[in-house]
């Protein structure tokens, strides 16, 4: 009989039907679109059928091609779903515009399809550059049109793919990541877009279907690290066992292990899209995993799982031998020692007991060695086998390599015949494992191994012997002093020799401060070495204490010679201290220490007082002079203090004026700097020569002692040294004529030099960071610090002691006046700046941030540092 169609029900519509499509996620019912664009839903149930207006928002224009999903809740991240978005309706108009309800997703699309299983809206763009794009239904559901068409990354899709112009999408297979396209010639082609493949693979990995995911990734060349990196904690806990059972091919397991890397592919090559992430699982736990040890963790877990499977007899013995070897070779660093031991143990198990053949030369053992050599070089395997002191397996490894038997056979024969510990010592020397070499040489020395027949290796590279001298040679050559002290800790005499060798080594490395306690810890003490270290470390207290030890064992006739030697040493050290610029102490402290040395050990009273005068320590110099009844030296201290007081009074006014000028200039440059940053942004500070000299000058000035900043003679000497360098250079350039300048005319001579000179001069940009930092350094220099104030206080106390009250009061008043003026200039600038900033904030609240004072709202880190500058106070007892 012919098939017949029955009409169960009929409805009267208000217009012609343009398109009718079934729900992609529901069997019963469909969605209808009329020619005017209105949408209706046809519902069927046991009680009957009905045609109702759709809850979905209508499309912007009638679309001949539509697709719809009835329940949108699986694609919404929020708990409540908007009634207008309770349905997902997509449409493609006759003008190639792709719509999602009342939103236009693309203005030029040739075709589209919706895959509810892959959760993608797939469409192909039309135009000169055709692409297949994949929009996640979750992101489309949450799409915000206010972000703009150009700025919204959602519309770019996930992993777009270029296709041939004129191609149209026909369908997307629901159970495979495959898309069917109709090409312009009419033929059908199946492609596997990266978006569908990655979505499919990630879904299978999260579901635990590792076998299916592995096969798909291997087929489409997706990095196998994604299996671990998507959820590393879950994979290590339960996933590795499931993966091993599902991917049951040994070659596939080797491929997976060999591809492991210590990085996270979800952060670089295959970032997990936000619509796929599980917030509580991926974002929180994923960041806690240490990917720098990922390879070692996975190898350890895989090895444990495979051994458990073999122990449970689920697989035959030796089934996972090669993958287990792969885990050893893949670890970082490769654990080849354990791999070789595993090969040897396996060879001994498989070898018949009555067979005279070496078990390591059997076919199974040789196959394992060849596979391990595929993962690592033969040379490395040979050295590793030597490193475990197993010369049989070393021979088996060398047999499969391209090594010359004339080389490795005599070597292995010699190592086999040598005593045990000395043989290991030579192996460690060959492998440059010097710590182990020293330990084995020490054991050979302790066990008194006989080496009469083995004085050296055949090539003569290592000297034979296991004596203490050989140990010391190895210790000194490779700086193994700490290990040597540990090994010979029970032998006092040899411990002393090692300590002195360690101290000598530190002295050669220019580390006298570390060498000194080492010398001092040797028993009996090495006085000469300790004295050299103390002098190099500038520890004069320890040096002279060691120098006094000579007096204890010296005859009475040589006492005078030693006393003169001590005096000469004191003068040399004091001269070296005062002339050295490489010191962490202040100049005042250095001169004070030099004076102390000259008084205590040098018997040089004049030199000591001169140094104290240089250090502005008037009271100490006067005390020492009066102690030895030297009124002339006491008068020198008094005259120096009075001259210093008058010079300081004059200098206070200069400091105040200099601070005022620098403070005013700083305010101007600070505003220019803020204006530049506000308009152009902060530029990189150039490391020009001029900038470097500016910073060094500022830092040098700020760290300069009071003597150099106030004394006319010292300042003059500093300036003269700079001038002499420049003048000598200028004299050489003008006075000595270069050979290539001899035949130049008088009109062009020196033109090139003038151009080069102009090139070297870099013009400083107004309001630059360099200019600002230079002014900050100048402000710090002119503002008195604590050391400056202490010197002034001690000078005032000394003038009071001399009963020169008028000069003491004048010095005190001048310093207080200078401090008050500096604080006044600083506070006025801060008040003015605060007023201008308040005015700028008011303009910002009323007119917005586009006004002429907006740059004043920029805050620079240097402002707080400058605002906190203050003059150090004098001794409180003076004001009281």
């Amino acid at each position: 009989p012919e098939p017949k169609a029955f009409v169960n029900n009929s409805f009267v519509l208000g217009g012609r039907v343009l398109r009718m499509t079934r729900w992609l996620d529901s069997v019963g019912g469909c969605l209808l679109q009329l020619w005017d664009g209105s949408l209706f839903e046809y519902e069927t149930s046991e009680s009957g059928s009905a045609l109702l207006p759709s809850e979905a928002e209508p499309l912007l224009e009638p679309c001949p091609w539509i697709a719809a999903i009835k329940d949108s809740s699986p694609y919404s991240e929020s708990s409540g779903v908007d009634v207008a978005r309770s349905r997902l309706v997509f449409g493609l108009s006759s003008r190639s515009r792709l719509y999602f309800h009342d939103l236009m997703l693309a203005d030029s699309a040739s075709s589209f399809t919706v895959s509810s299983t892959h959760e993608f809206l797939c469409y192909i763009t039309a135009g000169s550059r055709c692409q297949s794009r994949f929009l996640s239904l979750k992101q489309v559901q949450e799409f915000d049109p206010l972000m703009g068409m150009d700025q919204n990354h959602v519309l770019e899709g996930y992993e777009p793919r270029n296709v041939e112009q004129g191609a149209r999408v026909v369908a997307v297979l629901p159970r495979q990541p495959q898309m069917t396209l109709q090409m312009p010639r009419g033929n059908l082609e199946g492609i596997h877009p990266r978006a569908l493949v990655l979505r499919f693979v990630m879904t299978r990995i999260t579901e635990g279907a590792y076998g299916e995911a592995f096969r798909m990734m291997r087929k489409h060349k997706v990095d196998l690290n994604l299996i671990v990196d998507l959820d590393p904690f879950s994979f290590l806990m339960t996933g590795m066992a499931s993966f091993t059972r599902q991917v049951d091919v040994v070659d596939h397991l080797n491929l997976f292990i060999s591809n492991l890397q210590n990085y996270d592919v979800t952060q670089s090559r295959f970032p997990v899209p936000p619509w796929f992430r599980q917030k509580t699982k991926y974002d929180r736990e994923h960041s806690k995993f240490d990917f720098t040890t990922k390879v070692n963790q996975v190898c350890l877990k895989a090895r444990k799982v495979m051994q458990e499977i073999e122990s449970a007899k689920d697989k035959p013995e030796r089934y996972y031998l090669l993958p287990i070897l792969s885990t050893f070779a893949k670890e970082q660093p490769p654990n080849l020692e354990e791999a070789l031991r595993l090969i040897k143990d396996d060879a001994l198990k498989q070898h018949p007991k009555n067979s005279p053949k070496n078990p390591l030369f059997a076919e199974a053992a040789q196959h394992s060695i060849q596979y391990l050599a595929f993962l690592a070089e033969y040379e490395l395997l040979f050295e590793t086998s030597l490193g475990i002191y197993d010369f049989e397996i070393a021979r088996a490894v060398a047999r499969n390599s391209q090594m010359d038997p004339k080389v490795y056979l005599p070597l292995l024969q010699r190592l086999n015949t040598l005593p045990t510990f000395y043989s290991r010592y030579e192996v460690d020397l060959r492998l440059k494992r010097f710590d182990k070499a020293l330990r084995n040489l020490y054991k050979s020395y302790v066990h008194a191994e006989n080496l009469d027949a083995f004085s050296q290796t055949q090539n003569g590279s290592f000297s034979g012997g296991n004596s203490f001298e050989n140990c010391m040679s190895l210790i000194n050559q490779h700086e193994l002093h700490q290990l040597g002290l540990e090994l010979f800790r029970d032998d006092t005499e040899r411990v002393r020799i090692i300590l002195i060798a360690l101290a000598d080594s530190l002295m050669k490395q220019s580390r006298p401060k570390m060498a000194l306690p080492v010398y001092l810890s040797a028993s009996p003490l090495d006085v000469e070495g300790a004295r050299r270290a103390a002098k190099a470390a500038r520890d004069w207290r320890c040096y002279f204490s060691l120098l006094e030890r000579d007096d204890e064992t010296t005859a009475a006739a040589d006492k005078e010679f030693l006393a003169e030697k001590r005096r000469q040493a004191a003068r040399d050290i004091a001269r070296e201290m005062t002339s050295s610029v490489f010191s962490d102490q202040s100049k005042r402290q250095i001169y004070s220490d030099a004076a102390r040395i000259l008084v205590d050990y040098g018997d040089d009273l004049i030199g000591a007082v001169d140094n104290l005068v240089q250090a502005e320590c008037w009271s100490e110099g006067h005390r020492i002079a009066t102690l030895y009844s030297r009124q002339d030296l006491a008068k020198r201290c008094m005259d120096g203090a009075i001259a210093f007081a008058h010079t300081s009074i004059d200098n206070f006014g200069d400091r105040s004026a200099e601070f005022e000028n620098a403070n005013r200039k700083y305010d101007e440059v600070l505003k220019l700097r803020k204006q530049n940053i506000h308009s152009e942004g902060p530029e990189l500070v150039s490391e020009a020569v001029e900038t470097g000299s500016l910073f060094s000058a500022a830092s040098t000035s700020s760290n300069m002692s009071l003597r150099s900043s106030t004394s006319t003679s010292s300042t003059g000497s500093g300036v003269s040294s700079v001038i002499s360098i420049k003048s000598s250079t200028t004299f050489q350039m003008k006075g000595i004529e270069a050979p290539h300048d001899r035949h130049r005319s008088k009109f062009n001579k020196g033109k090139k030099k003038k151009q080069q000179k102009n090139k070297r001069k870099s013009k400083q940009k107004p309001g630059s960071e360099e200019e600002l930092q230079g002014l900050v350094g100048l402000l710090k220099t002119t503002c008195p610090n604590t050391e400056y104030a202490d010197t002034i206080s001690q000078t005032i106390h000394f003038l009071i002691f001399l009963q020169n009250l008028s000069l003491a009061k004048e010095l005190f008043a001048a310093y207080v006046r200078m401090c008050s003026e500096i604080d006044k200039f600083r506070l006025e600038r801060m008040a003015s700046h605060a007023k201008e900033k308040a005015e700028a904030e008011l303009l910002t609240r009323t007119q917005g941030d586009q006004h002429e004072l907006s740059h004043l709202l920029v805050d620079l880190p240097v402002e707080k540092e400058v605002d906190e500058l203050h003059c150090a106070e004098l001794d409180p007892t003076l004001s009281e």
Side-chain angles (χ1 to χ4, degrees):
E2 296 182 359
K4 296 181 181 180
F6 297 95
V7 179
N8 294 329
N9 206 344
S10 62
F11 299 93
V12 178
L13 300 174
R16 296 176 57 188
V17 176
L18 176 62
R19 177 66 64 181
M20 181 171 62
T21 183
R22 67 177 183 86
W23 299 109
L24 295 176
D25 58 339
S26 178
V27 178
C30 62
L31 180 70
L32 292 85
Q33 180 184 206
L34 304 185
W35 277 91
D36 60 356
S38 57
L39 299 176
F40 290 88
E41 297 179 6
Y42 174 69
E43 300 289 343
T44 60
S45 61
E46 296 179 356
S47 59
S49 58
L51 183 67
L52 302 173
S54 177
E55 298 178 358
E57 295 177 345
L59 303 174
L60 289 181
E61 60 177 309
C63 297
W65 300 276
I66 60 174
I69 295 177
K70 187 174 183 180
D71 185 11
S72 65
S73 58
Y75 312 107
S76 177
E77 295 183 358
S78 57
S79 57
V81 181
D82 188 5
V83 177
R85 294 284 182 93
S86 61
R87 310 284 194 263
L88 299 182
V89 181
F90 303 91
L92 181 64
S93 69
S94 57
R95 293 188 291 179
S96 301
R97 294 178 178 176
L98 182 61
Y99 293 102
F100 169 61
H101 295 295
D102 58 345
L103 302 176
M104 184 174 67
L105 300 179
D107 57 357
S108 179
S110 63
S111 57
F112 82 99
T113 185
V114 178
S115 174
S116 58
T117 55
H118 296 286
E119 299 183 358
F120 275 128
L121 165 65
C122 313
Y123 71 94
I124 295 181
T125 61
S128 59
R129 185 183 179 187
C130 294
Q131 283 186 330
S132 60
R133 295 188 177 180
F134 305 88
L135 274 64
S136 170
L137 295 180
K138 291 182 179 180
Q139 285 191 316
V140 172
Q141 172 72 351
E142 303 293 333
F143 179 71
D144 185 5
L146 298 179
M147 293 179 64
M149 296 291 292
D150 296 333
Q151 290 78 18
N152 202 316
H153 65 280
V154 175
L155 300 180
E156 297 177 1
Y158 177 62
E159 296 286 343
R161 170 172 173 165
N162 295 334
V163 296
E164 185 178 348
Q165 188 173 6
R168 300 174 65 87
V169 59
V170 176
V172 174
L173 301 186
R175 296 185 179 181
Q176 289 293 324
Q178 183 176 357
M179 174 187 284
T180 304
L181 300 179
Q182 184 182 25
M183 310 311 291
R185 296 169 296 280
N187 60 309
L188 298 179
E189 291 186 4
I191 63 173
H192 292 78
R194 181 67 69 173
L196 296 180
V197 172
L198 291 180
R199 174 69 171 78
F200 179 85
V201 166
M202 291 180 183
T203 303
R204 293 300 180 271
I205 292 174
T206 54
E207 293 173 355
Y210 295 107
E212 189 177 2
F214 176 84
R215 288 186 289 272
M216 185 63 65
M217 295 171 72
R218 181 169 174 263
K219 180 179 180 180
H220 296 286
K221 299 180 180 180
V222 179
D223 195 336
L224 297 178
N225 284 274
L226 185 63
I227 297 176
V228 183
D229 298 345
L230 197 61
D231 191 357
F233 286 110
S234 176
F235 182 80
L236 289 175
M237 290 178 62
T238 59
M240 189 66 230
S242 178
F243 176 85
T244 306
R245 296 180 183 276
Q246 294 181 32
V247 184
D248 200 26
V249 182
V250 171
D251 291 341
H252 291 176
L253 291 174
N254 290 332
L255 178 65
F256 168 73
I257 294 170
S258 62
N259 276 275
L260 291 174
Q261 298 293 336
N262 277 331
Y263 57 80
D264 185 6
V265 296
T266 63
Q267 300 296 324
S268 54
R269 297 184 61 187
F270 306 115
V272 180
W275 42 265
F276 188 82
R277 295 178 182 174
Q278 300 176 0
K279 295 296 183 181
T280 58
K281 196 172 183 180
Y282 180 85
D283 289 343
R284 295 178 184 176
E285 296 185 5
H286 191 271
S287 59
K288 298 178 182 178
F289 187 78
D290 184 11
F291 282 92
T292 60
T293 61
K294 182 185 77 174
V295 173
N296 290 351
Q297 293 186 57
V298 175
C299 288
L300 181 62
K301 183 65 177 180
R303 190 161 57 245
K304 182 179 179 182
V305 167
M306 288 185 283
Q307 290 173 348
E308 289 176 352
I309 293 176
E310 287 187 355
S311 301
K313 305 299 181 180
D314 294 340
K315 291 293 180 183
E317 193 176 359
R318 300 183 71 253
Y319 182 80
Y320 291 119
L321 176 61
L322 297 186
I324 290 176
L325 291 177
S326 299
T327 60
F328 282 123
K330 189 60 183 179
E331 287 185 2
Q332 296 182 359
N335 193 358
L336 298 180
E337 296 181 0
E338 293 298 327
L340 290 172
R341 290 192 179 98
L342 178 63
I343 292 175
K344 185 175 181 179
D345 294 341
D346 180 71
L348 294 175
K349 289 180 182 178
Q350 301 297 323
H351 188 66
K353 294 183 179 179
N354 299 327
S355 176
K357 187 178 180 180
N358 191 331
L360 292 172
F361 292 162
E363 184 179 355
Q366 290 295 303
H367 177 66
S368 300
I369 292 175
Q370 291 171 3
Y371 176 75
L372 190 60
F374 171 74
L375 302 176
E377 297 180 357
Y378 270 113
E379 184 179 355
L380 180 60
L381 281 179
F382 182 73
E383 292 180 352
T384 304
S385 59
L386 289 179
I388 60 177
Y389 314 119
D390 193 331
F391 306 131
E392 291 296 327
I393 197 170
R395 182 182 173 191
V397 170
R399 185 185 182 190
N400 286 279
S401 67
Q402 296 180 355
M403 296 179 64
D404 188 358
K406 296 180 180 179
V407 175
Y408 73 82
L409 286 179
L411 173 63
L412 295 177
Q413 183 180 2
R414 171 184 168 79
L415 293 176
N416 274 317
T417 55
L418 280 172
T420 303
F421 295 113
Y422 195 81
S423 173
R424 295 179 179 181
Y425 158 71
E426 285 200 352
V427 168
D428 292 329
L429 276 183
R430 177 186 178 89
L431 301 180
K432 298 182 179 180
R433 302 187 307 190
F434 302 114
D435 289 354
K436 292 186 176 181
L438 180 59
R439 291 183 184 275
N440 285 316
L441 184 60
Y442 170 76
K443 291 178 181 178
S444 178
Y445 163 74
V446 171
H447 289 82
E449 291 181 339
N450 188 8
L451 302 176
D452 295 339
F454 308 97
S455 58
Q456 60 182 6
T457 56
Q458 292 182 354
N459 58 6
S461 57
F462 307 124
S463 60
N466 56 355
S467 62
F468 176 73
E469 288 73 16
N470 296 107
C471 294
M472 281 304 304
S473 176
L474 185 63
I475 288 172
N476 291 327
Q477 186 177 359
H478 301 288
E479 299 181 357
L480 303 174
H481 303 88
Q482 185 174 358
L483 179 59
L485 291 172
E486 177 185 345
L487 296 175
F488 292 95
R489 57 182 176 273
D490 297 331
D491 194 332
T492 307
E493 182 180 355
R494 286 170 172 75
V495 166
R496 180 180 184 275
I497 295 174
I498 297 174
L499 283 173
I500 294 175
L502 173 59
D504 292 340
S505 176
L506 292 173
M507 289 295 292
K508 292 179 181 178
Q509 299 173 17
S510 300
R511 300 163 68 184
K513 290 185 178 180
M514 296 185 66
L516 179 58
V518 178
Y519 275 122
L520 295 176
S521 60
S523 178
L525 179 64
D526 184 4
V527 179
E528 186 62 30
R531 194 182 300 160
R532 284 188 291 107
K535 186 175 182 180
R538 305 180 189 279
D539 189 348
W540 58 269
R541 291 179 176 84
C542 181
Y543 176 80
F544 284 106
S545 298
L546 294 170
L547 199 63
E548 292 297 327
R549 292 204 174 194
D550 291 341
D551 294 344
E552 300 175 1
T553 59
T554 305
D558 297 333
K559 292 289 185 180
E560 183 61 30
F561 171 75
L562 291 177
E564 182 60 30
K565 181 180 176 182
R566 183 174 61 252
R567 286 192 290 269
Q568 186 60 38
R571 296 189 190 100
D572 293 341
I573 290 179
R575 189 183 308 109
E576 185 179 351
M577 290 174 61
T578 55
S579 61
S580 175
V581 296
F582 304 102
S583 177
D584 298 334
Q585 298 175 318
S586 65
K587 279 194 172 184
R588 193 178 186 198
Q589 183 64 38
I590 290 174
Y591 277 94
S592 299
D593 291 343
R596 177 76 177 275
I597 292 173
L598 292 174
V599 170
D600 293 345
Y601 301 102
D603 298 335
D604 186 0
L605 192 61
I606 298 176
V609 173
D610 286 341
N611 283 328
L612 290 173
V613 170
Q614 291 285 340
E616 291 95 23
C617 297
W618 325 108
S619 300
E620 181 65 14
H622 188 269
R623 183 190 68 81
I624 293 176
T626 54
L627 177 64
Y628 291 93
S629 302
R630 291 293 300 271
Q631 298 302 322
D632 55 335
L633 297 180
K635 188 175 185 304
R636 185 181 301 181
C637 294
M638 292 186 288
D639 294 342
I642 294 172
F644 173 78
H646 287 293
T647 305
S648 299
I649 293 172
D650 297 337
N651 180 258
F652 291 159
D654 297 338
R655 276 179 174 266
S656 179
E658 190 174 3
F659 185 90
E660 182 183 9
N661 295 331
N663 186 60
R664 183 175 62 255
K665 183 66 176 176
Y666 166 77
D667 190 27
E668 298 172 359
V669 173
L670 183 65
K671 293 178 181 178
L672 285 175
R673 179 64 181 159
K674 289 186 174 184
Q675 192 170 2
N676 292 340
I677 292 178
H678 184 265
S679 59
E680 303 174 4
E683 73 270 14
L684 295 176
V685 179
S686 61
E687 298 181 357
V689 177
E690 178 179 304
T691 307
S693 63
L694 179 62
F695 285 148
S696 61
S699 62
T700 304
S701 300
S702 61
N703 296 327
M704 191 179 295
S705 67
L706 182 61
R707 179 187 60 81
S708 60
S709 63
T710 57
S711 175
T712 308
S713 60
S714 61
T715 306
S717 63
V719 175
S720 65
S721 63
V722 176
I723 294 176
S724 64
I725 295 173
K726 291 185 177 180
S727 61
S728 63
T729 307
T730 307
F731 173 78
Q732 289 178 359
M733 290 179 65
K734 291 184 178 180
I736 301 176
E737 189 168 299
H740 59 272
D741 289 337
R742 271 178 203 166
H743 304 291
R744 277 186 172 182
S745 68
K746 62 181 180 180
F747 297 104
N748 63 357
K749 185 179 291 186
K751 183 178 180 181
K752 187 175 181 180
K753 295 178 182 177
K754 185 175 181 181
Q755 291 176 354
Q756 292 177 353
K757 185 177 180 181
N758 292 335
K759 282 183 181 180
R760 287 195 297 266
K761 291 178 63 178
S762 58
K763 191 173 181 181
Q764 200 175 63
K765 182 181 177 181
S768 63
E769 181 70 18
E770 295 88 345
E771 186 179 12
L772 184 62
Q773 292 293 341
L775 290 170
V776 171
L778 189 58
L779 289 173
K780 289 181 179 179
T781 304
T782 54
C783 191
N785 55 14
T786 305
E787 184 180 357
Y788 192 110
D790 290 343
T791 305
I792 298 297
S793 299
Q794 292 179 16
T795 304
I796 295 175
H797 280 293
F798 185 67
L799 292 174
I800 295 173
F801 172 75
L802 298 179
Q803 297 185 350
N804 195 343
L805 299 179
S806 59
L807 184 57
K809 290 180 180 178
E810 186 179 358
L811 181 61
F812 178 82
Y815 184 86
V816 173
R817 183 168 57 254
M818 176 194 64
C819 293
S820 62
E821 291 176 355
I822 289 177
D823 288 340
K824 176 185 175 184
F825 299 144
R826 182 177 61 86
L827 294 175
E828 287 178 352
R829 177 186 53 77
M830 293 173 59
S832 175
H833 178 71
K835 182 178 179 182
E836 293 175 349
K837 190 172 183 179
E839 185 178 348
E841 291 175 349
L842 179 61
L843 290 176
T844 300
R845 288 194 295 268
T846 56
Q847 302 179 11
D849 57 353
Q850 300 298 328
H851 55 84
E852 58 182 4
L853 298 180
S854 58
H855 63 278
L856 297 177
L857 299 177
V858 177
D859 291 329
L860 298 180
V862 75
E863 291 184 76
K864 183 178 180 181
E865 181 182 2
V866 174
D867 291 345
E868 291 178 353
L869 287 177
H870 64 280
C871 299
E873 297 181 357
L874 297 175
D875 188 356
T877 58
L878 295 174
S879 58
E880 293 175 359

